Amino acid sequence: MSHVVTDNSPNLPRWSWLSVAIAALLAFELAHIFIGHATLRYLAWTSGLAFVVFAMPRTGLRERALVGICAAMAVWLVLRHQGEVLARAVDQAVFLASFIQILGLLREAAITSQAIRACGLHLTRQPPQRRYLAIHAGSHLFGMILNFGAISLLAPLIQEGVKASDGDERVKAIRERRQLSAMIRGFSWIVVWAPSSVTQALLISLFPGADHVRAVTLGVVTAAVMMVLGWLEDRFRYRRTAPRPPVAVSALAPRTLHHLAGIVAMLLALVFIIRLSSNVGIVPSLMLAAPIALSIWVFVQNGALGPARGLLAVGQRWRHVVLVGLPAGVREGVMLGASGFIGVVAGALTPADEIAALLGRNQIDPALFLMALPILIILAGQIALSPVMMVVFLGSVISAFPTPPADHALVAFALASGWGLTMTAAPNATGSLMLSRITGIPSTVLTWRWNGPFTLLALGWLAIVFVVLTRS
């Protein structure tokens, strides 16, 4: 790949066209969201295309196949003179690719935060009687801030702690299995409510008129229920495992707690200020807050040695982000963007009126219809169809129904639940694949073998929710 500027630093790669394309994509997409000028939209499209082109050498077969499908669809739409559909698909692709890259910025500050590492170690070193709940809740909270960075942070800490613990290899294997299962379960359910997840950003755009407060409230309640169900399943499955004696664990230092509280408060305050001052939604506000939060967080980490040192550290970190951090996440960006593109096109070409009429003629029960959505997403995940693609496709079709078969808030919740369940039910989901790469454990083991019963329990809870809410 050709390079733009030679970098004299021995610790960082040289500037590349990929780095330039990503930086331009994020800048133009943010500018378009907050300013709205048509020129910025076309610049975001152009930089998005450049991003895909220069990212190809770093992608795998899956991403290249998705891009090839996108290219074929784009040519077909041009030949059919369906420019409006093509524009909507490109908008969705650019937005999703930008969103996942921007939200990854918080991870870049977290990797050097001693408070974050101390908190992660504290969670994984809890006594056996409360370790599941601590890891589940901790990965859930970390996922809101760090997104997939939570898996990268906690999984190595869990394996590190298990290796250093006492007991034979069989006991250690059980301990590792229980902790990793708690972590992926806690992480997976942030998608049903957290505004920092791609899922919520997508559902808001697919169902702008839905009561998203209702959908998010259902998500918060369900996330809490999943923690209890997961804990009960863990206790029942390992009920014959010999209990370990209680272990004394020191509390987190007040300074660490204050630091973590300050991070959360800063992010919330930035989102609130941006939303009020610009009159945009929570998701765009969060996208603009992330780079600001990164700068402030890095400055605070280094500002004790003086403002000049803090500003220098911020500049160095941004250089690292553009040259290393953002290019490292190109596979996720390409995959999400391409999946969004395919989902929009497939949804637009599906005869929504005919499907809605078919459902009406057969008088499909709303609860059954809602229950079918997460099951379809899970089944699609078994053959490597990403939940992004399925949610965009299903959401696009359902939002076009003349008469919705169920309340759109419940539809959004059902789609988000299906997305969350793919991480514990589908070996080809991004979360399970990432955890498999980090731990060396096959993704089929992490999902089917370790989390199969939990997935069935979760589906049972969703069935109860849908029946109760559609009958009330």
Side-chain angles (χ1 to χ4, degrees):
M1 184 183 295
S2 301
H3 289 83
V4 181
V5 180
T6 300
D7 193 324
N8 295 324
S9 170
N11 300 318
L12 291 175
R14 294 178 293 173
W15 283 86
S16 67
W17 287 114
L18 176 60
S19 300
V20 174
I22 297 175
L25 170 63
L26 303 190
F28 289 132
E29 180 63 8
L30 279 175
H32 174 241
I33 289 172
F34 283 88
I35 299 174
H37 197 279
T39 301
L40 294 171
R41 182 192 191 194
Y42 300 139
L43 287 172
W45 289 4
T46 303
S47 54
L49 178 60
F51 161 67
V52 171
V53 170
F54 293 122
M56 281 298 99
R58 298 194 181 208
T59 59
L61 180 62
R62 181 184 182 184
E63 291 79 21
R64 294 177 188 182
L66 289 174
V67 171
I69 295 172
C70 289
M73 283 183 162
V75 172
W76 191 83
L77 289 173
V78 170
L79 294 176
R80 294 285 299 269
H81 304 288
Q82 293 187 310
E84 190 271 335
V85 175
L86 178 60
R88 283 195 289 114
V90 174
D91 279 336
Q92 188 71 270
V94 168
F95 172 77
L96 288 174
S98 302
F99 183 85
I100 192 66
Q101 294 277 10
I102 288 174
L103 265 293
L105 293 176
L106 295 176
R107 181 178 59 224
E108 295 299 321
I111 57 178
T112 56
S113 171
Q114 292 301 315
I116 292 292
R117 179 172 174 81
C119 187
L121 288 171
H122 181 74
L123 292 174
T124 58
R125 292 174 180 175
Q126 290 296 302
Q129 58 270 27
R130 63 170 183 262
R131 184 183 295 134
Y132 180 94
L133 294 176
I135 294 177
H136 185 114
S139 63
H140 194 79
L141 295 174
F142 273 22
M144 287 190 298
I145 301 174
L146 308 180
N147 211 287
F148 284 106
I151 296 178
S152 303
L153 172 72
L154 290 176
L157 292 181
I158 288 172
Q159 291 192 308
E160 177 185 316
V162 168
K163 289 179 181 178
S165 63
D166 56 352
D168 57 31
E169 292 304 313
R170 186 187 68 84
V171 172
K172 289 184 178 182
I174 293 175
R175 205 171 292 154
E176 179 185 48
R177 173 177 179 167
R178 297 177 74 176
Q179 293 184 48
L180 290 176
S181 293
M183 186 205 70
I184 193 63
R185 293 174 188 179
F187 173 79
S188 65
W189 283 95
I190 63 172
V191 301
V192 294
W193 73 273
S196 58
S197 68
V198 177
T199 317
Q200 292 304 312
L202 198 52
L203 292 172
I204 289 173
S205 66
L206 289 171
F207 302 102
D211 183 358
H212 287 284
V213 173
R214 185 188 188 195
V216 168
T217 301
L218 281 171
V220 171
V221 172
T222 295
V225 170
M226 288 304 123
M227 182 166 67
V228 176
L229 284 179
W231 175 73
L232 291 173
E233 188 272 341
D234 176 83
R235 299 284 290 183
F236 180 79
R237 177 181 289 198
Y238 300 104
R239 63 192 181 280
R240 293 190 177 89
T241 303
R244 297 178 64 202
V247 179
V249 179
S250 59
L252 281 173
R255 182 178 179 182
T256 299
L257 292 174
H258 294 159
H259 188 94
L260 292 173
I263 294 166
V264 175
M266 173 189 65
L267 192 58
L268 291 175
L270 285 171
V271 171
F272 181 75
I273 292 170
I274 293 170
R275 186 177 184 188
L276 285 183
S277 59
S278 59
N279 196 31
V280 297
I282 291 178
V283 171
S285 299
L286 183 62
M287 291 175 69
L288 182 58
I292 300 173
L294 166 64
S295 301
I296 296 175
W297 195 353
V298 172
F299 181 84
V300 170
Q301 290 179 27
N302 297 272
L305 299 177
R309 178 68 179 269
L311 291 173
L312 178 63
V314 171
Q316 291 174 338
R317 180 57 55 80
W318 270 109
R319 188 158 159 262
H320 181 274
V321 165
V322 174
L323 296 179
V324 178
L326 292 176
V330 295
R331 292 190 67 170
E332 287 79 10
V334 171
M335 189 272 291
L336 281 173
S339 296
F341 184 99
I342 295 169
V344 168
V345 175
L349 300 180
T350 301
D353 290 348
E354 295 178 17
I355 295 176
L358 178 64
L359 293 175
R361 285 196 301 270
N362 290 279
Q363 297 182 330
I364 299 297
D365 183 78
L368 183 61
F369 172 80
L370 291 169
M371 195 64 208
L373 299 179
I375 293 175
L376 284 173
I377 295 171
I378 292 172
L379 292 177
Q382 309 305 313
I383 56 173
L385 291 179
S386 84
V388 182
M389 188 187 308
M390 289 301 297
V391 167
V392 174
F393 168 67
L394 293 172
S396 299
V397 173
I398 296 169
S399 64
F401 283 176
T403 303
D407 182 78
H408 276 178
L410 296 182
V411 172
F413 169 69
L415 293 173
S417 298
W419 190 325
L421 280 172
T422 58
M423 284 185 252
T424 54
N428 293 298
T430 303
S432 54
L433 287 174
M434 178 179 289
L435 184 58
S436 177
R437 285 198 299 267
I438 293 171
T439 61
I441 300 169
S443 60
T444 50
V445 173
L446 292 168
T447 53
W448 295 339
R449 283 181 52 188
W450 289 8
N451 286 289
F454 170 76
T455 300
L456 294 177
L457 285 172
L459 286 172
W461 164 258
L462 292 177
I464 293 172
V465 170
F466 294 144
V467 169
V468 171
L469 292 180
T470 54
R471 299 291 190 274
S472 60

